[in-house]
């Protein structure tokens, strides 16, 4: 039993080290009712996202995959949190999360090199 627990802990440590900057589950709980978090779904159109979240803080052209990415800053009770929504070349939501677009791109680049999960 001890060896199995130790082995699982080692695997988890290795995967955590390769995952880049992980998302914090507390952020999801804190901001879960924000429209961008609660309502934006994969394959949603960019125009619908803009209706829900308003204009982004910044928009970048993606480098790992074709498309763009919008950076937002969520605010609740004085706490600010970056949040991204990435779009494919057809302006459809590909991913979203509690990172900046730039950090998401770093994570994608690492995964592409075979260092990710």
């Amino acid at each position: 039993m001890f060896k199995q627990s130790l082995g699982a802990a080692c695997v988890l440590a290795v995967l955590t080290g390769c995952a880049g900057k992980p998302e914090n589950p507390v952020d999801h709980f804190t901001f879960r009712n924000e429209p961008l978090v609660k309502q934006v779904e994969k394959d949603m159109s960019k125009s619908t996202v803009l209706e829900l979240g308003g204009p982004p803080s910044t928009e970048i052209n993606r480098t790992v995959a074709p498309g763009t990415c919008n950076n937002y800053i969520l605010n609740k009770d004085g706490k600010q949190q970056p949040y991204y929504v990435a779009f494919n070349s057809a302006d459809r939501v590909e991913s979203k999360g509690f990172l900046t677009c730039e950090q998401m791109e770093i994570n994608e680049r690492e995964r592409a090199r075979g260092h990710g999960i």
Side-chain angles (χ1 to χ4, degrees):
M1 180 72 160
F2 176 73
K3 288 183 181 180
Q4 290 175 337
S5 297
L6 183 60
C10 288
V11 168
L12 182 60
V14 168
L15 293 177
T16 301
C18 293
K21 182 179 178 188
E23 293 184 7
N24 184 346
V26 173
D27 294 332
H28 191 273
F29 181 78
T30 301
F31 296 100
R32 70 186 178 279
N33 290 321
E34 295 297 314
L36 286 169
V37 178
K38 188 174 186 175
Q39 297 174 355
V40 172
E41 297 185 14
K42 190 170 177 129
D43 204 40
M44 184 178 278
S45 72
K46 188 174 191 175
S47 61
T48 302
V49 172
L50 292 172
E51 287 173 20
L52 291 170
S57 300
T58 60
E59 180 177 352
I60 66 165
N61 289 316
R62 295 178 64 193
T63 59
V64 177
T68 60
C69 185
N70 288 355
N71 277 309
Y72 290 92
I73 301 296
L74 304 179
N75 292 289
K76 183 172 183 179
D77 301 328
K79 180 176 174 157
Q80 292 188 332
Q81 174 62 46
Y83 194 79
Y84 80 90
V85 181
F87 302 94
N88 62 22
S89 60
D91 281 342
R92 307 300 280 192
V93 173
E94 190 171 281
S95 63
K96 62 180 187 165
F98 293 97
L99 303 170
T100 64
C101 292
E102 293 79 5
Q103 185 62 52
M104 179 271 303
E105 286 272 300
I106 290 168
N107 291 352
E108 288 290 316
R109 208 171 293 115
E110 289 296 314
R111 275 196 273 288
R113 287 188 197 145
H115 293 97
I117 301 173

